[in-house]
Amino acid sequence: MPSIENYRGIIPAIACPFTPDHRIDEPALRQLASWLAGHEGVVAVMTNGHTGEVFSLTPAERAEVTRIVADELRGRLPVISSIVLSLLHT
């Protein structure tokens, strides 16, 4: 598994594409991950990185996004999953 030794370079926070019925669009997510990974200077890809849609995903869906991206990149680059803390006000 690849690792980042110096954290120098670009680590884009990947946006999660959705289908019209609000499900994770796996083919589009895979295509986006591969496209990002193919750019010079990109040293890793971050999933669930506060790109907006992350707060509409369940914890299981966040894990699924990371699994899909990691599977697509298959060790070409590290995949970093952000930790999202949702605060509920009562």
Side-chain angles (χ1 to χ4, degrees):
M1 173 172 285
S3 65
I4 302 172
E5 297 197 18
N6 61 17
Y7 285 92
R8 291 189 178 150
I10 301 166
I11 304 173
I14 191 169
C16 180
F18 294 98
T19 63
D21 62 347
H22 310 290
R23 296 179 188 267
I24 296 167
D25 187 338
E26 184 171 341
L29 181 57
R30 287 178 177 278
Q31 183 178 15
L32 180 57
S34 285
W35 180 78
L36 285 170
H39 283 78
E40 185 175 341
V42 173
V43 297
V45 174
M46 177 183 286
T47 60
N48 306 310
H50 306 293
T51 52
E53 80 286 351
V54 68
F55 294 106
S56 67
L57 297 172
T58 66
E61 289 170 324
R62 292 175 192 154
E64 181 68 2
V65 167
T66 300
R67 184 201 63 76
I68 291 167
V69 173
D71 181 65
E72 180 62 27
L73 297 184
R74 286 186 173 82
R76 288 188 287 166
L77 291 176
V79 176
I80 301 166
S81 181
S82 175
I83 297 173
V84 177
L85 180 62
S86 298
L87 301 176
L88 299 177
H89 298 282
T90 57

